[in-house]
Structures are given as C-alpha cells and as structure tokens.
Amino acid sequence: MYKIIIDTKGSDKGPGVIVAGACQALDKFDNLEVVLVGDYDFIFDEVKRLGADLNRIEIINAPDEINNYDNPMTAVFEKPNSSLIVALDTYSKRDDICGMLNSGNTGALLMGSMRFLAGEKRMRPAMAAVMFNSSGTLTCVLDSGSVVDCNAETLVHYAHLGSELMKKMYGIENPRVALLSNGSEPTKGNKVVKEAHKLLAESELNFVGNVEGNTALGGACDVLVCDGFAGNLVLKVTEGTAKRLLTDIVKYAKKTGSQEAMQIFNHLMKAYDVASLGGGILLGISKTVIKTRGTADEKAIVSTTEMLLNMAQNKEVYDKEKLKEIL
Amino acid sequence: MYKIIIDTKGSDKGPGVIVAGACQALDKFDNLEVVLVGDYDFIFDEVKRLGADLNRIEIINAPDEINNYDNPMTAVFEKPNSSLIVALDTYSKRDDICGMLNSGNTGALLMGSMRFLAGEKRMRPAMAAVMFNSSGTLTCVLDSGSVVDCNAETLVHYAHLGSELMKKMYGIENPRVALLSNGSEPTKGNKVVKEAHKLLAESELNFVGNVEGNTALGGACDVLVCDGFAGNLVLKVTEGTAKRLLTDIVKYAKKTGSQEAMQIFNHLMKAYDVASLGGGILLGISKTVIKTRGTADEKAIVSTTEMLLNMAQNKEVYDKEKLKEIL
C-alpha cells in the first residue's frame, strides 16, 4: 500500500472537490491510502456520503486555512494550525507517507516545504511541470511559476534539478537542457538569461542552447530552464491559446452545423486536457510533493494522485503508449 | 501618393522576398510609392524581372548589411553604409516619405531609430504589436520584444505610449491598460512588475490591474504592458501553440481522411494567419516605423505596407468588419 497525504484546503473550488477527488482515486487505485488534512467533521461527512472505503482513509484535523491572499513568507509562521502546515509537519515526521498533494497558495507551499522538507542545499525549491511536447515526448519546464526573481546561478541549479528528474523518472540518459530566451543566439536574452547561458555552456550538462517561445515545447529539449515568471507565462499562454482555438472550432461547428467539427474538438480536448496532466513537481526538497493548480477538479486530483503513486513506485509518471494512442 | 521606404536587407529570407513583397504591394495599392534601400543592381534587376511600375520605385544603394549577429549598440556606428542606416538617414531628412519598413535586427533598428528619429523624451522606443484578441477586438502588446530589461518607470512609459496609440489609431476613448503578471492579485509578479503595478494604480491611466498569460489576449484590456522578454514570449508561445493545434488537425485529417477537418484547418489558418497581421509598430520616436519579423514573406510585406499606408492616412490599421467576417 502507498499512503499519500492530501491538503484539502486552499483550493479555489473548496475542500469538497479535493475530498471527492481523493475518494475517486481510492476507487481507482487499490494500492492507495490517503491522509486527508482539513476540517475533520466536514471531511468525515463527505467521505461517508460518498461511500468511500473508510479503512483506507485517515483524517487529521486542521481548522485553519492559508489562502491565496496570505503572504507566503509570514503565513507559514502565523498559521500553525492551517491544513498546509499540519500536512507538511505530519509528512516530515512520518515515514509511512510517500507523497503529498496540495492545491493552494504556491508561495506558502514553497516556504513551508523549505522549512519542513529542506533539501541538502537548503535552496528554494523549484516547481517542475512535465508536459507533452508536440513531438510526443516529454519536456520538463522549470521553474514553472514558483520563484519569479531568479539569478543566473539559480537557473543553473534548476537545470541540474530538471536533468536529474528526467534521468531518474523518465530514463532519459543525457537530458537535453535548453534555456528559454527571446532569441536563439547566445547574445539574446535579458541580463540574467545571458549570464545563465554562459554558465550552462561551461557546465557538464547537455546544454543545447537557447530556445524561443514558439519552439520551447516542440521537443528539441527535455528540460526547459526559465524563471518562474517566464515559466508561468509559457504554461498559461499555451493554455489560453489552446482554449481559444478550441472555442473557435466550437463556434465553427455551431455556425456550420458540422458534426465532424465537434468530433475534432473532442479529439483535441482529449489530447490537451489540462486536468489529465497532473500537477507541478517540487524539486530540491527531501520528499515528494506535487502542487496542482487552484482550479483543479476531481479528475485533476485523481491524475495527480496517480503521478504520486507512480513516483513512489519509481514508475514513469506518464504512460507514453497511452499518449501515442491519443495523438 | 504615399511614399514608404523599405530596407531590403537583414531579413532571414534574403532581399529577394522583400523586393517581391514591395512589388506586390505596388500592384495592390495605387496610391503607393516605394523607396527600396539595398544593393542597387540586385534591386533593379529584380523589379524589372517582376515587371513592376518603375515610375513608382526609387532605389537607393547601400552595399552593407546589419545582420542578426551584429551587436546593435556598435553596428549602427560601425556600418554607416548598411541599408538600415542609409534608410533611417534618408527617412529622417526627407518629408516626402511617410513610413518605413524593416525586417532585420530589432536591436539595431531601435538603436538606429533613437539616433535618427529620436522622440521628445529621447527614451528607448518600444515595439507595439497590435493583435486580434479572442473577443474580436484589438489588444496592443508592448513592449513586444525590443527592450528585455525594463524598470518599473519604463513599463509605465509603455502604458502611456500604448494608450496613446489605441486612442489615436483605433478611436478607443479610454483604453484599458493591464499589466502582464503571474497572478491577478497586486501582490503577484517579479520585483519590477510589483513596483509598476503601484505606479500604474496611481497614474491617470485607465489601469485595470494584472492579467495572466491565459487571459492576456482574451479582450479584457486594450493595452497589455510587459517587458520585451515577456512580450516576445506571449507572441511566440501563442504562435507555437496555434501551430501545434493546427498541425494536430492536419494529422487528424490524414488519419481519418476527413475532408471537413481540412476545411476547419483552412478556416483557422485564415483567422490566425500571422503574416496578415503585419508587424510591430515602433512607439516613442518622431516618425512611423514598422518592423516585420525576420521570417516575413511577400504577403507579410504587403500587409505591413498596408498598415503603413493606413497609418499615414490616419485610417484604422485593421479592418474590423473584415475581422468579423472571418470569425
């Protein structure tokens, strides 16, 4: 059995969605047990109402919540009874738990992780988003939105973390590392990126140079290094544009009455379904933590739980064969 | 007649494409005359070969070229005989020319523009990309890729330039200005963005707050303010994602033999055709300059020439009715 701790609070959609997602995951994975942290009574009522297997559920009461308006730096000290802090504290102390899932304030999660699950270097953790690229392989984008002000050394640190992840989790022997910039030439980039380019070129990593936004997820690299501001932009602009084109296909279908347009829409939706991609992996800390987006629905909670299960079993996080089927 | 000066060098595709585009524009617009700057003999042979109206073409010889590997800071001084510098020098001295088109080294164009076409404040010009958003209106993104290291004051300056453009050129009375960030809350953003947020909130501009990458081109703002690194990312990730989905539709069409899928592809291609969107408008200088991307083809040269013609006549740069037809 694999035990995963889930912070039920902090989500944009409320704790009900998180608890429901956890129950669906229990249904789907026989080898899963969950520790749910939040309002005891609420969680108890919900899991009972949903008919979940109570033998595989542990509930830990935490009355307080860290929300998106809380200051990450201070909240982790000022709210010791928040579900996030209680979950991190529990996770740090117990060896029977192999993964943690959170969908709240990213900054507070990072601060809290540093405090309770600090890695060897005690650096601020990075958040990696492992995504399907258009070549049908995987690209690890980091930092994907946690640390927005980075210096060149931090970017190099991220390159190492991402490289390590792609080696360990995905069996890629010599991961190709690229640096996100506004031009492919080494002279392109802001000050930090230009400096990072030099350092990466001198490093022992398999550095393949700069990539631009239009080719970043084209499959030319296994690890895409950037600061959290740029990483967030890459993920969100990708999402926004995909949504826009999909909406246009629906409009076209309505305008023309085309059945086939709706089939194409469904096909693409399946391929680009954000929820099925799971969450961001925190790197540079001592245990495995995955952060889903605040808007994560039940399905996203299930797929993120699957990611954690796979990571605990040292399995590949995504099923490549399944991917080939889709596209 | 409206006379536009075109730098034929610096393009990724070579001067032939630029000259051919200029000839197509002459065919399309009766009220257009062009000044082509570059290798005299090459241009002369090309325009003759293409059967263009020689009475509406002036050729200025400039044997040298500033390419993408040249340092913008030094190239504008070290290459006085380059087509870019000759074009800027000519444009600055002649009142009969109402617009300039370039498709080469963006940095050098900015440096050169500052030197020859400096605005009142002598600030580094910004490059604005005016794009269709998903609500079917227009959003001006600036800076769209020229100045990658910006401070908060520069971002506020861009907000003013963009606001002015949308008022003057598109008749928008009180343009809504948004700041690109990694979260909608005022506390989100890197140091520069957080500071700019405060300054914009205190300004007399119609500041509507932060927008994120997924909603940036959703129609909630008329002016999207960001540094050139982020602006470049927004444009290029949008392009890359659109291309990816379009490619997936073609794959689907091939796999299923669906005729309708190809029709949808053609429909979307028409709507998202990058070439038809023209180029980036330089703001904060004394005359009108538009920069097309290095990979611009003949069609892009024609549509950018149309933008310059419309700007010279104080017409709206895009035809909104035409837009409504497409989507």
Side-chain angles (χ1 to χ4, degrees), chain A residues 68-69 132-134 145 148-149 180-194 212-215 217 227-242 244-246 248-249 251-252 255-256 258-264 267-268 271-272 293 324-327, chain B residues 68-69 132-134 145 148-149 180-194 212-215 217 227-242 244-246 248-249 251-252 255-256 258-264 267-268 271-272 293 324-327:
Chain A
N68 272 319
Y69 286 89
F132 299 135
N133 59 50
S134 57
V148 292
D149 288 296
L180 184 64
S181 189
N182 62 320
S184 55
E185 304 89 349
T187 52
K188 287 286 173 78
N190 56 29
K191 275 180 206 157
V192 172
V193 166
K194 279 192 250 183
E212 297 181 71
N214 51 344
T215 53
L217 295 175
D227 68 38
F229 193 88
N232 179 281
L233 262 185
V234 169
L235 303 192
K236 290 202 171 150
V237 174
T238 300
E239 181 199 330
T241 310
R244 181 172 172 179
L245 267 104
L246 289 166
D248 284 337
I249 296 176
K251 274 191 209 161
Y252 177 91
K255 205 166 145 185
T256 60
S258 161
Q259 288 291 321
E260 191 135 8
M262 281 315 292
Q263 280 170 25
I264 294 171
H267 165 79
L268 291 172
Y272 288 89
R293 43 168 56 207
K324 276 185 200 150
E325 250 170 59
I326 299 175
L327 275 183
Chain B
N68 271 319
Y69 286 89
F132 298 135
N133 59 50
S134 57
V148 292
D149 289 296
L180 184 65
S181 189
N182 61 320
S184 55
E185 304 89 351
T187 52
K188 287 286 173 77
N190 55 29
K191 275 180 208 157
V192 171
V193 166
K194 279 191 249 183
E212 297 182 69
N214 51 344
T215 52
L217 295 175
D227 69 36
F229 193 88
N232 179 281
L233 261 185
V234 169
L235 301 194
K236 289 201 172 149
V237 174
T238 300
E239 181 198 330
T241 310
R244 181 171 172 180
L245 268 104
L246 289 167
D248 285 337
I249 296 176
K251 276 190 208 161
Y252 177 91
K255 205 167 146 183
T256 60
S258 160
Q259 289 291 320
E260 191 135 8
M262 281 315 293
Q263 279 169 25
I264 294 171
H267 166 78
L268 290 172
Y272 287 90
R293 45 168 53 208
K324 275 184 199 150
E325 251 170 57
I326 300 176
L327 275 182

Side-chain angles (χ1 to χ4, degrees), chain A residues 276-315:
Chain A
S276 72
L277 287 178
I281 306 166
L282 256 67
L283 298 179
I285 53 174
S286 63
K287 293 192 172 188
T288 308
V289 176
I290 298 189
K291 158 84 174 65
T292 67
R293 43 168 56 207
T295 55
D297 58 9
E298 290 91 338
K299 203 176 150 194
I301 301 303
V302 173
S303 58
T304 308
T305 309
E306 187 176 10
M307 274 178 83
L308 284 164
L309 270 177
N310 287 342
M311 288 176 84
Q313 295 168 84
N314 259 326
K315 275 205 234 165

Side-chain angles (χ1 to χ4, degrees), chain B residues 41-72:
Chain B
D41 292 343
F42 174 83
I43 298 172
F44 186 76
D45 289 348
E46 280 295 293
V47 297
K48 243 178 60 183
R49 189 178 66 80
L50 294 164
D53 180 359
L54 291 171
N55 292 319
R56 286 153 66 205
I57 300 174
E58 177 183 340
I59 306 174
I60 297 179
N61 191 46
D64 219 351
E65 177 173 8
I66 294 180
N67 65 39
N68 271 319
Y69 286 89
D70 282 316
N71 182 332

